[in-house]
Amino acid sequence: MSTSPCPTTTTLRTAAPVAAGVAAQYAQQSEQGRELDHRVYTALNEAGFPRHFVPHRWMGRAGTFAEALEAIAAVGEGCASAAWCAALQAAHGRLAAHLPETAQSELWQISPDVSIAASVVPPSGELRRAPGGWFLSGTWGLASGVVHADWILLASLDRDAESQGAGEQGPGGATTRIMAVPRTDVRIHDTWRNSGLRGTGSHGLSVEQTFVPEHRSMPLEVLATGLRDPDAARCHRVPFPLVAALLFAAPALGAARGALRAWSELMRARPVTGGRPAHEDGSCQQVLARSSAEIDAAGLLLAQAARRADSSPDPAGQVPLNRRDCAVAVDLLVTAVDRLFRSGGVRAQSEGSALQRFWRDIHSVAAHATLRLEPAAAAYAQEVLATAR
């Protein structure tokens, strides 16, 4: 954990380019190591991603989603794995801000630059009530950046709460609770061997009979609604479904921009065919025009979703729109990068090609459940077509 706070005059937007440069420099090392190179994680911390949504009272920024989108995408232009971890560093700080204040003090009383990993969907493990809290045991999967984390947020079903009828209901009427667990209480399992986002270190983990005090827990429904306190920062009052897809989509935007740059460099270096350079070749011109326009369009959709999250007077009512825009944006980005990759030829497929890395990474991002087009389209259609006017 870093205990040196970032200068208050430095914003995430201005600090992100430095982190982006470090991420790009060590992208290959992160891929090979199957987790971010330690220098990359340090650069993300120093840029201020962990503190971006931390409340002001803990020296956090309680920042905007528009700034987070721009900064995460900037990192993604060099390394999508680093952008994914940056997005989750910020997102998990926002989730932890919904914990009781005593727990927040444990996390941030020394510094807001605390790295938090999480595995909250689906809930797993087993909770057993004890005086003052619970004993937690079980296994969880896909906790990105867990090796570098100071704290882990884990979701589990509290079946003892079934009779109370409170909280977010899971199978059998149990309440889903999110628990904050110190990294030292967690065992990490080396399980992450994915085709894309290889550098995220999204390993599985387990805990065994770990005591979690009452104040380090919250019902999942707190995230679904956002904080009701009118004095809370805007970023803590918006409902989780409004912004979850946005923060997951941001690395894809950066990866697509990086893929476009890698493709352009490949085309400039391509030997002249039939006496014409690449920029005079009709097929290359069309690939460039269509793909760049789709990437720009996706960026506009995501920027619009961020503006809704930051300033809409009815954030809950904007959830279907944001889900639609984020899912369609990522669909556009995948289409654009697929086209670039196909037109890049055999050289684009080489092991050292940045274009093939971005292609793998963007498909991994697009596979995330929050970015699937089908449920987003269903929710939007329900809002537009099925609601009585």
Side-chain angles (χ1 to χ4, degrees):
M1 177 180 67
S2 170
T3 57
S4 300
C6 304
T8 55
T9 56
T10 302
T11 66
L12 188 60
R13 183 180 288 108
T14 57
V18 175
V22 176
Q25 182 179 355
Y26 296 104
Q28 196 65 28
Q29 288 91 325
S30 295
E31 273 231 328
Q32 293 171 350
R34 293 181 295 111
E35 64 185 54
L36 290 191
D37 185 277
H38 69 92
R39 289 162 290 200
V40 178
Y41 233 95
T42 297
L44 296 180
N45 283 1
E46 291 178 347
F49 284 99
R51 68 164 53 196
H52 184 67
F53 290 123
V54 172
H56 288 305
R57 64 180 174 275
W58 308 116
M59 295 183 65
R61 292 190 175 124
T64 67
F65 293 97
E67 187 173 12
L69 169 67
E70 183 179 332
I72 294 164
V75 173
E77 290 188 42
C79 177
S81 289
W84 184 263
C85 290
L88 292 182
Q89 281 185 328
H92 295 157
R94 195 186 85 84
L95 300 189
H98 294 71
L99 287 165
E101 188 159 349
T102 305
Q104 294 182 39
S105 177
E106 283 190 65
L107 267 64
W108 297 313
Q109 63 180 329
I110 297 176
S111 169
D113 300 314
V114 173
S115 182
I116 303 171
S119 183
V120 296
V121 179
S124 186
E126 202 172 86
L127 279 175
R128 181 168 56 84
R129 260 292 180 184
W134 295 266
F135 281 106
L136 176 64
S137 297
T139 60
W140 289 259
L142 303 179
S144 299
V146 66
V147 170
H148 298 278
D150 303 301
W151 288 82
I152 323 291
L153 300 177
L154 299 174
S156 190
L157 295 177
D158 180 12
R159 301 188 186 278
D160 290 337
E162 183 175 345
S163 61
Q164 301 173 15
E168 182 78 7
Q169 298 299 304
T175 296
T176 301
R177 300 196 68 85
I178 295 179
M179 328 289 282
V181 179
R183 162 68 181 82
T184 51
D185 290 351
V186 170
R187 180 183 178 189
I188 298 172
H189 304 278
D190 186 357
T191 56
W192 184 244
R193 288 172 173 79
N194 211 44
S195 61
L197 296 177
R198 288 180 180 175
T200 59
S202 302
H203 300 298
L205 55 89
S206 63
V207 298
E208 185 175 349
Q209 291 297 306
T210 294
F211 180 71
V212 181
E214 183 92 37
H215 68 265
R216 281 207 251 117
S217 168
M218 61 182 169
L220 182 63
E221 67 176 2
V222 174
L223 301 180
T225 60
L227 293 179
R228 300 298 192 185
D229 181 0
D231 294 328
R234 167 75 183 205
C235 63
H236 304 136
R237 288 185 284 113
V238 298
F240 178 75
L242 181 71
V243 296
L246 174 65
L247 293 177
F248 283 121
L253 178 60
R257 289 170 175 169
L260 180 61
R261 184 171 59 246
W263 178 89
S264 299
E265 292 171 356
L266 197 64
M267 291 302 104
R268 292 190 195 101
R270 192 173 72 175
V272 174
T273 303
R276 291 184 304 173
H279 71 269
E280 294 181 3
D281 180 82
S283 62
C284 283
Q285 292 168 353
Q286 292 183 42
V287 167
L288 175 62
R290 291 184 65 86
S291 297
S292 61
E294 286 166 346
I295 293 168
D296 286 349
L300 292 172
L301 284 171
L302 294 177
Q304 178 175 258
R307 284 195 298 272
R308 292 193 197 104
D310 286 328
S311 59
S312 169
D314 178 26
Q318 302 301 310
V319 169
L321 268 176
N322 265 25
R323 291 185 63 189
R324 179 203 71 177
D325 284 359
C326 292
V328 170
V330 170
D331 194 55
L332 285 170
L333 295 171
V334 169
T335 299
V337 174
D338 277 347
R339 185 186 300 109
L340 294 169
F341 185 61
R342 288 197 307 271
S343 70
V346 174
R347 286 179 301 157
Q349 301 170 25
S350 69
E351 192 174 89
S353 164
L355 182 52
Q356 62 84 20
R357 171 165 54 85
F358 286 124
W359 178 75
R360 287 187 288 105
D361 289 342
I362 203 166
H363 277 275
S364 288
V365 173
H368 196 277
T370 61
L371 298 172
R372 289 179 54 220
L373 183 57
E374 297 87 348
Y380 183 67
Q382 178 72 21
E383 177 73 15
V384 173
L385 303 178
T387 302
R389 299 295 179 185

